Amino acid sequence: MTGTGGKKGGRVRKSSGRGQRDLTVKVKTARGRRNSSTRWLQRQLNDPYVQRAKAEGYRGRAAFKIMELDDKFRFLVNGARVVDLGCAPGGWAQVAVPRINALGEKSGKKVGTFLGIDLQEVEPLAGATFYQLDFMEDDADVKVKELLGGKADVVMSDMAAASSGHKQTDHLRIIALCEAAAYFAFDVLDEGGTFVAKVLAGGAEGELQKLLKQKFDKVMNVKPPSSRSDSSEKFVVATGFKG
């Protein structure tokens, strides 16, 4: 199946306007493919952030989410020690490495450290260390601090639990995952540190917000421009860890 015009499975719809075309890719439902899968595929093919990620060499559209969040809150600074939970495929690392000066390319500036944690192997990236680890293991925080050579300045997470197809169940799962990431952050963050994580709006995130407000000076909820408008996804940005 392809999204190019004239081939089976997709077509490019042309408008009647002179010299103009509507380049929306239409995807037909193939035998054995669910309607939801077809809708997802069509959305991917027409997503400008997916296209931009490919054009700019990012490993996924999620790179723009952390880019926009950091542009607003400025937590990826020169010399920062960053832990990225659920880091695959490495798009957030691509954004963070130059911003924290992990390669030491900015003369006279502090050199940062980027540590990505995931259950699966991640393709190497200059300036980043990827480590296969379940962050919920009992001694995961100890291992991370050993790898960092100290505590972290930023713990961030774009993790999402596997979809069940049931909206409320998925919401509860991702909130539980985010809470686990928050407790991990409490163990590894240095005083004044920042926690950034994806959540899904849906009513069960109140306890998470309450918990974060006890531990951080400021807690903000943001939906970056690159987050799809039809998604309940948002990000919590907690700054000023109290230790």
Side-chain angles (χ1 to χ4, degrees):
M1 198 289 299
T2 179
T4 56
K7 294 189 178 182
K8 188 176 180 180
R11 64 184 176 86
V12 176
R13 179 163 52 87
K14 297 183 179 180
S15 72
S16 59
R18 181 178 297 176
Q20 296 182 358
R21 294 194 305 171
D22 181 349
L23 296 178
T24 301
V25 178
K26 297 295 184 180
V27 179
K28 295 179 181 179
T29 302
R31 185 185 299 273
R33 185 197 296 142
R34 293 182 299 178
N35 288 335
S36 59
S37 297
T38 299
R39 289 194 298 270
W40 179 88
L41 180 57
Q42 181 167 316
R43 184 176 65 180
Q44 285 293 102
L45 290 171
N46 292 288
D47 189 324
Y49 284 99
V50 171
Q51 297 165 10
R52 184 180 165 192
K54 290 180 180 178
E56 297 182 22
Y58 288 111
R59 297 182 182 182
R61 71 186 306 284
F64 299 108
K65 299 174 187 178
I66 197 65
M67 194 182 298
E68 291 162 352
L69 290 170
D70 184 53
D71 285 347
K72 185 177 181 67
F73 297 104
R74 302 291 183 184
F75 48 86
L76 295 175
V77 298
N78 291 319
R81 295 158 296 179
V82 178
V83 179
D84 183 7
L85 301 177
C87 62
W92 279 24
Q94 288 177 293
V95 174
V97 163
R99 294 193 177 206
I100 66 174
N101 195 31
L103 287 169
E105 294 178 333
K106 301 174 187 176
S107 180
K109 300 291 185 180
K110 291 182 179 179
V111 178
T113 303
F114 184 94
L115 177 62
I117 302 296
D118 205 285
L119 292 174
Q120 61 181 309
E121 188 174 353
V122 182
E123 182 183 347
L125 176 73
T129 298
F130 296 127
Y131 192 77
Q132 280 185 272
L133 176 70
D134 183 347
F135 80 94
M136 288 192 277
E137 289 180 3
D138 289 341
D139 60 346
D141 59 319
V142 175
K143 290 179 181 177
V144 164
K145 283 182 281 189
E146 287 176 352
L147 290 165
L148 281 178
K151 290 192 173 183
D153 298 302
V154 180
V155 172
M156 55 190 196
S157 165
D158 190 33
M159 293 185 295
S163 176
S164 68
H166 185 266
K167 188 174 181 180
Q168 189 168 0
T169 298
D170 291 341
H171 171 66
L172 293 172
R173 284 179 176 176
I174 197 170
I175 292 299
L177 192 59
C178 190
E179 286 182 350
Y183 278 108
F184 177 84
F186 301 159
D187 289 332
V188 303
L189 273 178
D190 204 352
E191 189 173 344
T194 298
F195 175 65
V196 181
K198 177 167 67 181
V199 296
L200 295 181
E205 64 271 24
E207 286 301 312
L208 173 63
Q209 297 287 326
K210 183 178 178 180
L211 175 67
L212 293 176
K213 286 177 181 178
Q214 293 172 353
K215 296 288 187 176
F216 293 86
D217 290 333
K218 197 170 185 180
V219 178
M220 296 144 287
N221 295 282
V222 186
K223 189 176 182 69
S226 56
S227 184
R228 291 188 175 105
S229 59
D230 61 349
S231 169
S232 59
E233 169 189 273
K234 64 180 181 179
F235 287 83
V236 59
V237 180
T239 60
F241 181 56
K242 297 176 183 178

